[in-house]
Amino acid sequence: MSARQLVRESRPSKVEAGRGTAAGPVPAGAEPAAATPSAPAEPADEPPTALEQREPSDPAEQPSAGSGPAPEPGPFPAAFPAASGLPFPLGPVQPPRPAEPAAATGPAGLTPVPAVPAKPTWAPTVPAPAPAVVPVPATAVPVPFEPPFRQEPAPNRVGPDDRWSRAWGVPAAVEPPPALEPAGADAPPVQPPGPEDLVLVRACLAAVAPDADRAMAHFHALLFLRHPELRAMFPAAMDEQRARLFQALRLCASRAGDPEELRGYLGPLGRRHRTYGALPRHYASVADCLVAALARYGGSGWDERTEAAWRRLLALVARLMAEGADEEARSAPPWWQAEVVEHRQATRDVAVLTLRPDQAYPFRAGQWAAVETPWWPRVWRPYSFGSAPRPDGLLTLHVKAVPAGWVSNALVHRARPGDVLRLGAAEGAMTVDHAAGEDLLCLGGGTGIGPIAALVEEVAERGAAGRRVEVFYGARRAEELYRLEELRELASVHSWLRVRPVVSEQPGGPVGALVGDLPEAVARYAPWRGFTAYLSGPAAMVRSGAAVLRRCGVPEGRVRHDLAVRED
């Protein structure tokens, strides 16, 4: 026997401490070591934890077919529906649960009991009771039109009706958010920003402007990291939110020198935030995260004086928004539920929806409201009302499906009678002063004819009182003038009303139709002195029409429109 073989034979076998299973080879002819009875043997294969059941990111790590039973699904889905077009679900993504420590195993029929000693003690296994089977209520059956994502319902609803929850396939159990707490006289006084503060604030915004999108993205990241409960108030796609936030900051900085002008801007904004469940305490969290984001992207000019100026401005902004929201909370809910009772396809891309709200809905002809659908929670889009207030309380919306329009395409191609939408409070100042009695010049392009027709209906109901009403109804092609016959019938009854159709891309349209762009057609009948003009339609048409009317003798103060209302 060689020396190497002698050394190998003389080595002891490696036995794991506390266990009787050999980890290395056993010499020939030797008896295997007996298992120590004081500690149980570890099972050969432990089931993977929930976090280990994820799909490998590397294709080489994919298990081969037939390598074993398929693992149970993990806490996250492997993939979202391809039709969504987004790599993430709507709504807040829940953080992964921490991995639970692997439970020790013991003899059959025994389970470990936590104890102070390091070694587990063992107790008889107590079988867990079988979970009770809860019958699914009939109202939890989803409607045929399901949301594009498998996600939780929006965390707010109102009214005893559960049709909103039926659209999501869950029972109605969530109450509406509480009203904003009033900012009464007991609230601490807010020191308004001074002229020096506004200089510092505007200089900071100028420094942040080149990286505005990154700065606002950093703000939202801080907000959701520090206050994850606020994520549910925001939509999944935040690009539009970032642009709107920076624009709002610039408006506040430019109007802070005039408190009344700033109040006129922030009051409606605070009322609008009620639909998202905003509370006064949330404004302080927003201010802290916003200051931190501005400090990071504010450049070398950021100092203690700039931070103090921003905090004074943001405190004033929060107070004015809370006051506006509290004023509305005394008389109106955060939103209304409205059932679709009729859905008429006016053209291939335009639908006229008739809604029945769950309670009285106050509005004026020419106003608009934000609309949320069950298919896109927390995504609100403004739409004007297409009719004047009716005795039966029904509302009308004219909606055009625009390319990549989430809400507009859902309303035009997906909504059906029985679906339930949500409406914010009516807004907008494009209303008629019936006491003034001035002549009206109305320009409606595309679905913008909806609020224009509503104004005409309201004038007809209250009496024209000797005024003239001139309506120019424009579209690209003749078949898109879907409300022309209705308006012409109204004009045949009322001598004070004249309706002129305008077609821009198709000569030889309806009888008496003008050819060309809508603003150009209106300019042919100038001057329009003594008229108050109302414009509704695509933003480009409204802007060009307002400029043409000013050249035609209509003062700027008598040109009314709502550029904030856009189709999706």
Side-chain angles (χ1 to χ4, degrees):
M1 178 181 296
S2 64
R4 180 175 299 176
Q5 291 174 338
L6 181 63
V7 171
R8 185 181 297 116
E9 291 291 339
S10 62
R11 275 181 192 161
S13 61
K14 295 181 181 180
V15 180
E16 197 170 318
R19 297 171 51 186
T21 56
V26 180
E31 292 290 338
T36 305
S38 59
E42 185 177 354
D45 294 323
E46 291 242 302
T49 63
L51 293 179
E52 294 173 342
Q53 294 175 1
R54 63 185 183 273
E55 185 176 356
S57 57
D58 188 352
E61 299 176 4
Q62 296 285 352
S64 58
S67 60
E72 295 293 330
F76 303 106
F80 292 98
S84 65
L86 296 175
F88 47 83
L90 284 178
V93 178
Q94 299 296 331
R97 293 175 296 180
E100 298 180 359
T105 59
L110 298 179
T111 56
V113 175
V116 176
K119 293 183 179 181
T121 58
W122 305 95
T125 302
V126 178
V133 178
V134 180
V136 179
T139 57
V141 179
V143 296
F145 301 95
E146 296 181 356
F149 290 95
R150 299 281 187 180
Q151 58 185 2
E152 294 299 322
N156 42 21
R157 62 177 298 279
V158 295
D161 198 348
D162 64 351
R163 284 171 293 182
W164 176 264
S165 296
R166 281 210 311 271
W168 292 100
V170 296
V174 185
E175 294 298 327
L180 283 171
E181 302 168 4
D186 296 338
V190 176
Q191 181 181 359
E196 296 181 358
D197 294 333
L198 297 181
V199 171
L200 294 173
V201 165
R202 291 164 185 169
C204 175
L205 288 176
V208 174
D211 294 323
D213 190 72
R214 295 174 59 189
M216 297 302 98
H218 185 67
F219 156 73
H220 285 114
L222 288 177
L223 185 66
F224 301 153
L225 180 64
R226 298 177 183 178
H227 308 279
E229 72 279 3
L230 300 184
R231 183 61 180 92
M233 299 182 184
F234 293 83
M238 295 295 296
D239 50 351
E240 186 178 2
Q241 297 291 326
R242 295 193 295 268
R244 288 185 175 183
L245 175 59
F246 190 73
Q247 179 64 17
L249 293 177
R250 299 179 68 173
L251 287 174
C252 291
S254 64
R255 301 180 183 182
D258 188 345
E260 291 304 318
E261 185 180 5
L262 185 62
R263 184 186 302 273
Y265 168 67
L266 293 175
L269 188 61
R271 293 192 291 270
R272 206 171 303 138
H273 282 187
R274 294 183 64 221
T275 61
Y276 301 97
L279 299 174
R281 63 176 179 270
H282 297 153
Y283 294 134
S285 304
V286 169
D288 291 339
C289 297
L290 192 55
V291 167
L294 293 172
R296 177 170 181 174
Y297 290 89
S300 59
W302 184 270
D303 54 16
E304 295 181 356
R305 295 170 55 243
T306 304
E307 179 177 347
W310 267 109
R311 290 196 177 275
R312 280 190 283 271
L313 176 60
L314 294 177
L316 178 62
V317 168
R319 170 59 58 84
L320 295 179
M321 291 181 65
E323 289 178 355
D326 180 64
E327 180 181 359
E328 186 188 64
R330 298 188 184 100
S331 59
W335 60 77
W336 284 256
Q337 288 188 152
E339 180 186 5
V340 179
V341 296
E342 183 181 359
H343 184 283
R344 180 171 63 89
Q345 203 75 29
T347 68
R348 184 183 62 180
D349 297 327
V350 175
V352 178
L353 286 77
T354 303
L355 312 177
R356 180 188 292 116
D358 60 344
Q359 53 187 306
Y361 187 91
F363 76 101
R364 288 280 310 276
Q367 289 189 309
W368 58 273
V371 179
E372 183 191 32
T373 71
W375 304 283
W376 296 103
R378 299 179 301 281
V379 179
W380 295 78
R381 290 292 185 263
Y383 292 98
S384 295
F385 296 107
S387 61
R390 297 167 50 172
D392 56 9
L394 297 180
L395 312 174
T396 302
L397 298 180
H398 293 224
V399 183
K400 179 179 181 181
V402 298
W406 295 359
V407 177
S408 65
N409 278 277
L411 291 175
V412 173
H413 300 302
R414 200 166 194 173
R416 293 296 182 269
D419 292 337
V420 179
L421 312 178
R422 290 200 293 187
L423 306 176
E427 300 184 55
M430 199 182 74
T431 57
V432 174
D433 183 3
H434 295 279
E438 71 271 12
D439 296 334
L440 307 182
L441 173 61
C442 303
L443 285 70
T447 54
I449 195 60
I452 295 300
L455 292 174
V456 174
E457 291 177 4
E458 189 175 80
V459 171
E461 292 173 0
R462 299 199 180 190
R467 63 171 26 136
R468 295 165 53 198
V469 178
E470 299 279 346
V471 175
F472 287 80
Y473 180 12
R476 289 191 177 93
R477 293 172 292 274
E479 58 269 19
E480 296 178 358
L481 299 171
Y482 60 92
R483 205 162 181 181
L484 179 59
E485 294 304 321
E486 179 183 349
L487 288 172
R488 281 182 166 174
E489 290 179 4
L490 194 60
S492 64
V493 178
H494 302 285
S495 59
W496 46 263
L497 175 61
R498 181 182 294 271
V499 179
R500 293 186 175 92
V502 182
V503 179
S504 61
E505 295 182 0
Q506 183 183 22
V511 177
L514 305 175
V515 179
D517 294 334
L518 184 58
E520 297 175 358
V522 175
R524 300 174 196 171
Y525 293 85
W528 294 104
R529 292 184 179 89
F531 281 80
T532 298
Y534 295 82
L535 296 86
S536 179
M541 185 279 292
V542 172
R543 292 191 182 95
S544 61
V548 168
L549 290 174
R550 284 193 293 269
R551 292 197 302 266
C552 294
V554 181
E556 185 173 358
R558 302 184 73 172
V559 177
R560 300 179 182 177
H561 54 75
D562 276 322
L563 278 179
V565 182
R566 56 184 178 80
E567 296 174 343
D568 216 62

